Amino acid sequence: MTEHSLWRFSRALHRAINDRQPDDLEALIDEDVDWAIYGPIDMFPFFGARRGKAAVLEVVKQIADNIRVHRFDRESVMLGVDSAASMMRYSLTALDSNKPISLRLAQFAQFKASQLTSIRILVDTFDLVEQALGRPIHLPKIAS
């Protein structure tokens, strides 16, 4: 049995972010990749939708300019022949402030011929924004 495309992509993505080595990642991304990270774009400009390999490689560079990945744990993974879904917990450091950040995300990826063709990443943004601001967000009580 061959290795699933998710494992190769995941290793290459982390090398591209932490070691600034995008070469392996470039080979694993389809020319017309559809990429989206859902979250507050005003606070994190590397969130949002991108289309095409060049745009995705640029956003990965932007991520690498802002964070360092220390650890990630896959809480749950579901693999299909050419698809994968996972719940993950990350331990990161914001490079501008040296602040630790912990976040959870859900990731849904599709592959064709071992290349990433589509990815959707949903970030637990409420917790992330609180950490980025350095204080809790107090919301009005909706129900008693």
Side-chain angles (χ1 to χ4, degrees), residues 14-123:
H14 291 114
R15 270 193 309 273
I17 291 171
N18 281 352
D19 302 334
R20 298 179 185 269
Q21 302 264 336
D23 295 345
D24 291 342
L25 183 63
E26 186 173 353
L28 298 176
I29 297 176
D30 186 78
E31 287 296 329
D32 197 33
V33 64
D34 185 11
W35 171 290
I37 303 174
Y38 298 102
I41 297 169
D42 292 342
M43 287 188 78
F44 306 99
F46 45 85
F47 283 6
R50 305 294 192 284
R51 186 78 180 201
K53 184 187 285 194
V56 167
L57 291 172
E58 177 57 31
V59 83
V60 170
K61 181 185 176 306
Q62 291 172 8
I63 293 169
D65 289 343
N66 285 278
I67 62 116
R68 177 162 179 76
V69 177
H70 292 288
R71 178 184 169 102
F72 68 96
D73 296 308
R74 290 183 183 94
E75 295 177 351
S76 178
V77 177
M78 294 175 58
L79 299 176
V81 174
D82 288 326
S83 62
S86 56
M87 286 288 299
M88 301 176 71
R89 181 173 299 277
Y90 275 85
S91 295
L92 313 168
T93 297
L95 296 178
D96 62 346
S97 64
N98 209 30
K99 286 171 58 173
I101 297 172
S102 173
L103 68 88
R104 290 184 74 203
L105 60 84
Q107 169 181 291
F108 305 91
Q110 295 179 325
F111 301 90
K112 183 177 179 183
S114 297
Q115 288 189 317
L116 180 73
T117 58
S118 174
I119 193 164
R120 299 290 181 266
I121 300 170
L122 303 155
V123 179

Side-chain angles (χ1 to χ4, degrees), residues 1-8 11 79-82 113-114:
M1 185 170 204
T2 62
E3 180 180 46
H4 195 279
S5 299
L6 176 67
W7 309 137
R8 285 188 299 276
R11 281 193 309 272
L79 299 176
V81 174
D82 288 326
S114 297

